[in-house]
Amino acid sequence: MTKNFPDMQGPACPVPLQHKKKVVLGHGSGGQMSQDLIASMFLPPFDNPYLRANDDAGVVGVILDQGFGEEISGRLAISTDSHVVWPLFFPGGDIGRLAVCGTVNDVAMMGATPNYLTAGFILEEGLNFEVLEKVVGSMHDAALEANITIIAGDTKVVQKGKADLLYINTTGIGIVPPGLEISGANAQPGDIVILSGSIGDHGIAVLEARQELGFTSGIQSDIAPLNHLVNAILNVSNQVHTMRDPTRGGLATSLNEIARQSKVCIFLEENSIPIKPGVAAACEILGFDPLFIANEGKLIVIVGRDDADNVIEAMHAERYGEEAVIIGEVKPEPQSRVLMRTPIGSTRVVGILSGEMLPRIC
Amino acid sequence: MTKNFPDMQGPACPVPLQHKKKVVLGHGSGGQMSQDLIASMFLPPFDNPYLRANDDAGVVGVILDQGFGEEISGRLAISTDSHVVWPLFFPGGDIGRLAVCGTVNDVAMMGATPNYLTAGFILEEGLNFEVLEKVVGSMHDAALEANITIIAGDTKVVQKGKADLLYINTTGIGIVPPGLEISGANAQPGDIVILSGSIGDHGIAVLEARQELGFTSGIQSDIAPLNHLVNAILNVSNQVHTMRDPTRGGLATSLNEIARQSKVCIFLEENSIPIKPGVAAACEILGFDPLFIANEGKLIVIVGRDDADNVIEAMHAERYGEEAVIIGEVKPEPQSRVLMRTPIGSTRVVGILSGEMLPRIC
């Protein structure tokens, strides 16, 4: 490789640590290292208000020229995700369902209706057609469930050993209803924090498929398209300030992002956070904190206090919101922090995922 | 080279070979095998009019609810491409410039103004930060030149040996001006076929970087954002029926696609197709046909005969259209065929790329 980079053989880099110079798995964790990489590598050259917003999807203005000099403006929410989950199939889902739902959800978290999806495949030479067929079938089923149309695609093939069977990028485009201002930066002191269901299911299901658990947890991934749930929420409240799906980095990382963006404190009641026994057991054995485990079918809603009951009720009527619960509230201080009251009544700081926990979880 | 063309060795083997069951490099060629894969694997489950249109970008309707019950509709052109070019750097460009320009061009070919771009990175563990920085810098420069904003991104990291340094998916979104109907299906008998410049530069530049030429061709990749050129063309003609950038599969494959979509004959004058001496020499030595070599900064315009001179003149005033020439015309018969008059006056059928020629060219 060096022969292609004669201009890179200059003075030795004074920085001694390998992770300062090379990409490591932790840069894909969704936690602090991912955020550092984005802040140092991508934001400086690409800087613009859409990226700086640091939300699940970029919300951009579009102006439709109607001809005759009339111009109408609106807003699109656009999100992209490359999916590299390993293995491709795991209890409750596969990379195909993940690729559709992951992006549908990111668009939906802005309050937008996900209308269109693109799909870009990177296939490894030698991949069995049956595997691809199965994955594509899952994408079809998930797209049908989410009521989204796959409108453009691309297929690339790389030599054997240059990928891991297949990777799928999806990009979703949705229309943001007028007047809606949902963002990680909009959580307000006094708001109520709602979680749509139990945490950690996806991460533990993938670990089980990797045979890294050492026992059978019975846990299925929670992968699901959440756009219909989002619709139900928005139908009953115009005080929804923030929505986010806690994927890579888990609930703790997403809440920390929101606390920082909104400059508020998010105060949790540990007892109220639903965790399935199989997830709790797996975390106990492996030494993981379920707050950092990835979810793919859960959402956080931060809503004005007066609307919380209505939102919970609406969520309970939806397939993917049946177990929705209030897990905490938003306080003014200490800013940019997530605190949690433990079952014994003490309060602890909940941090952000700092390194890599489970590589290639999505 | 012949080992890459098992299906070109005379009579086809009647027995379904391995490539019927497994993905092979030819499925990523952009030629017949890619089209077969799309037709058999992706179209049946995902079928919809946008994909069936088989254009460079999906053109979809959007309805912007203006509140107060007023709804306004418009059209977006959306295209996605994963970029796996190897090596990452080559004469005239790199994967970063390619990732921006490739998608900008696909959106522009629908006559749309490319406004927004997403970028999804798959990074291999161990990738040097300097390499990533250089690639990201190229993306920035290309985005600036194309006047497109990168509004959403994603980074995944896979273990060493599960990628080849880095892959980049980009998805582009543009607005289609009202009234414009540009498509591969709109070429009309009598139309003139214009090409913006010499063919094969990108493919040969990448081969040179792979040190597969055995000599120094001096050829630089032609990677360029073509949206400003497209604007210039549309400013002088409302008779532009088709535009396409002949990337993977080369000029021959793109013209065959158009001939099939429009059910017309495209008739070329071989003498009129510009080929740089370095490209011609490389093709001669390697046994390649430059008609099948990838381009990344060229476009085909098919325009009503009366507007051809105006279009050529407008193209000549643009940086990436200085060498624009008429290369042929559209005839009614034989339908779905590309024919070419050779320098000695005979006429030959120009086919579509059937196997894999140069893997990972983009």
Side-chain angles (χ1 to χ4, degrees):
Chain A
M1 196 188 78
T2 49
K3 69 180 186 301
N4 292 328
F5 296 103
D7 51 334
M8 287 185 179
Q9 304 297 305
C13 177
V15 182
L17 295 176
Q18 179 167 321
H19 74 264
K20 294 272 186 189
K21 298 186 296 180
K22 287 179 190 283
V23 170
V24 298
L25 289 170
H27 289 119
S29 66
Q32 190 61 51
M33 289 184 71
S34 295
Q35 295 182 11
D36 291 347
L37 180 70
I38 292 166
S40 66
M41 184 69 74
F42 298 115
L43 274 186
F46 296 159
D47 185 52
N48 63 55
Y50 315 114
L51 285 179
R52 234 177 291 137
N54 198 25
D55 275 322
D56 279 355
V59 173
V60 298
V62 286
I63 293 173
L64 300 179
D65 178 356
Q66 295 298 297
F68 317 109
E70 193 188 3
E71 291 186 343
I72 302 293
S73 63
R75 290 177 303 163
L76 300 177
I78 301 171
S79 185
T80 194
D81 254 323
S82 293
H83 301 272
V84 300
V85 67
W86 178 82
L88 300 180
F89 302 90
F90 42 83
D94 63 25
I95 191 173
R97 182 164 171 83
L98 184 66
V100 172
C101 296
T103 296
V104 161
N105 293 348
D106 283 343
V107 171
M109 292 308 124
M110 311 312 294
T113 305
N115 296 107
Y116 301 116
L117 199 70
T118 66
F121 295 85
I122 296 176
L123 309 179
E124 185 187 11
E125 182 186 20
L127 173 70
N128 276 313
F129 266 35
E130 288 142 300
V131 171
L132 184 55
E133 251 163 26
K134 207 169 162 185
V135 167
V136 168
S138 292
M139 292 180 75
H140 166 264
D141 295 348
L144 198 67
E145 185 183 353
N147 193 25
I148 196 166
T149 307
I150 297 172
I151 52 147
D154 174 57
T155 308
K156 295 283 159 45
V157 181
V158 297
Q159 298 93 335
K160 203 162 175 62
K162 301 300 184 186
D164 201 0
L165 298 180
L166 79 155
Y167 301 141
I168 308 174
N169 176 284
T170 50
T171 301
I173 296 105
I175 295 166
V176 185
L180 212 56
E181 292 297 341
I182 293 174
S183 159
N186 281 358
Q188 315 281 333
D191 283 355
I192 296 297
V193 182
I194 297 168
L195 180 67
S196 64
S198 63
I199 58 169
D201 300 11
H202 175 70
I204 297 303
V206 172
L207 272 191
E208 176 142 357
R210 289 181 194 170
Q211 303 188 304
E212 286 181 16
L213 283 191
F215 71 104
T216 304
S217 70
I219 296 297
Q220 305 266 316
S221 169
D222 57 352
I223 304 182
L226 299 174
N227 50 321
H228 304 309
L229 178 60
V230 165
N231 274 349
I233 292 168
L234 295 178
N235 276 342
V236 298
S237 174
N238 57 10
Q239 293 298 314
V240 176
H241 297 140
T242 303
M243 290 191 286
R244 188 154 295 183
D245 58 334
T247 55
R248 276 189 295 179
L251 181 66
T253 300
S254 290
L255 288 174
N256 268 285
E257 287 169 2
I258 296 166
R260 291 178 189 181
Q261 285 176 261
S262 295
K263 299 189 177 60
V264 295
C265 166
I266 294 179
F267 195 92
L268 304 174
E269 294 288 343
E270 185 167 0
N271 266 340
S272 65
I273 299 172
I275 302 173
K276 293 203 172 93
V279 171
C283 286
E284 183 81 22
I285 288 167
L286 299 168
F288 288 150
D289 185 338
L291 290 171
F292 294 113
I293 308 268
N295 312 279
E296 289 292 343
K298 297 295 162 10
L299 67 82
I300 301 159
V301 194
I302 299 184
V303 61
R305 186 170 290 262
D306 295 343
D307 281 2
D309 288 344
N310 283 347
V311 167
I312 287 273
E313 196 185 321
M315 291 175 78
H316 286 172
E318 291 289 319
R319 177 172 175 194
Y320 299 123
E322 286 172 356
E323 295 168 18
V325 287
I326 292 172
I327 60 166
E329 62 185 324
V330 180
K331 297 188 173 193
E333 300 279 346
Q335 276 187 10
S336 307
R337 288 285 182 145
V338 178
L339 301 180
M340 186 161 75
R341 184 159 27 220
T342 68
I344 57 165
S346 62
T347 298
R348 73 171 174 96
V349 174
V350 175
I352 190 169
L353 178 63
S354 60
E356 178 59 62
M357 200 162 167
L358 304 170
R360 296 178 57 192
I361 204 70
C362 64
Chain B
M1 194 191 82
T2 49
K3 72 180 186 300
N4 291 329
F5 293 97
D7 49 343
M8 280 187 169
Q9 303 301 299
C13 177
V15 183
L17 293 172
Q18 182 169 322
H19 75 262
K20 293 272 185 192
K21 297 185 296 182
K22 288 179 189 279
V23 170
V24 298
L25 289 171
H27 288 119
S29 67
Q32 190 60 52
M33 289 184 70
S34 295
Q35 295 181 11
D36 291 347
L37 180 70
I38 292 166
S40 66
M41 184 68 74
F42 298 116
L43 274 186
F46 297 158
D47 185 51
N48 62 55
Y50 315 114
L51 285 178
R52 235 176 292 137
N54 198 23
D55 275 321
D56 279 355
V59 173
V60 298
V62 287
I63 294 173
L64 300 178
D65 177 358
Q66 296 297 298
F68 318 110
E70 193 189 1
E71 291 186 344
I72 303 293
S73 64
R75 291 177 303 162
L76 300 177
I78 301 171
S79 185
T80 193
D81 254 324
S82 293
H83 301 273
V84 300
V85 68
W86 178 81
L88 300 181
F89 301 88
F90 42 83
D94 63 25
I95 191 173
R97 183 165 170 83
L98 184 66
V100 171
C101 296
T103 296
V104 161
N105 293 348
D106 283 343
V107 171
M109 292 308 124
M110 310 312 294
T113 304
N115 296 107
Y116 300 117
L117 199 72
T118 67
F121 295 86
I122 297 176
L123 308 179
E124 185 187 10
E125 181 186 20
L127 173 69
N128 276 313
F129 266 36
E130 289 143 300
V131 172
L132 184 56
E133 251 164 25
K134 204 169 164 184
V135 168
V136 167
S138 292
M139 292 181 74
H140 165 264
D141 295 346
L144 198 68
E145 184 183 353
N147 193 25
I148 196 166
T149 307
I150 298 173
I151 53 147
D154 175 57
T155 309
K156 294 283 159 44
V157 181
V158 297
Q159 298 93 337
K160 204 162 176 59
K162 301 300 183 186
D164 202 0
L165 298 180
L166 79 154
Y167 301 142
I168 308 174
N169 176 283
T170 49
T171 302
I173 296 102
I175 295 166
V176 185
L180 211 56
E181 293 297 340
I182 293 174
S183 159
N186 282 358
Q188 316 280 334
D191 283 355
I192 296 297
V193 182
I194 297 168
L195 180 67
S196 64
S198 63
I199 59 169
D201 300 10
H202 175 70
I204 297 304
V206 172
L207 272 190
E208 175 142 358
R210 289 181 193 169
Q211 303 188 305
E212 286 180 17
L213 281 193
F215 72 104
T216 303
S217 70
I219 295 298
Q220 305 266 315
S221 168
D222 57 352
I223 304 182
L226 298 175
N227 52 321
H228 303 309
L229 177 61
V230 165
N231 274 348
I233 292 167
L234 295 178
N235 276 342
V236 298
S237 175
N238 57 10
Q239 293 299 314
V240 176
H241 296 140
T242 302
M243 290 191 286
R244 187 153 296 181
D245 58 334
T247 55
R248 277 188 294 178
L251 180 67
T253 300
S254 290
L255 288 174
N256 268 285
E257 288 169 3
I258 296 166
R260 291 177 189 182
Q261 285 176 261
S262 294
K263 298 187 178 60
V264 294
C265 166
I266 293 179
F267 195 92
L268 304 174
E269 294 288 344
E270 185 167 359
N271 266 341
S272 65
I273 299 172
I275 301 174
K276 293 203 171 93
V279 171
C283 286
E284 183 80 21
I285 289 168
L286 298 168
F288 287 149
D289 185 338
L291 289 171
F292 294 111
I293 308 268
N295 312 280
E296 289 293 343
K298 296 294 161 12
L299 67 81
I300 301 158
V301 193
I302 299 184
V303 62
R305 186 171 291 262
D306 295 343
D307 281 2
D309 288 344
N310 283 347
V311 166
I312 287 273
E313 195 184 323
M315 291 175 78
H316 285 172
E318 291 288 319
R319 176 172 175 193
Y320 299 122
E322 286 172 358
E323 295 167 19
V325 285
I326 293 171
I327 60 166
E329 62 183 324
V330 180
K331 298 189 171 192
E333 301 279 347
Q335 278 187 10
S336 308
R337 289 283 182 150
V338 178
L339 301 180
M340 187 160 75
R341 183 160 27 223
T342 67
I344 57 165
S346 62
T347 298
R348 73 171 175 98
V349 174
V350 175
I352 189 169
L353 179 64
S354 61
E356 176 60 60
M357 200 161 168
L358 304 171
R360 296 178 58 192
I361 204 70
C362 63

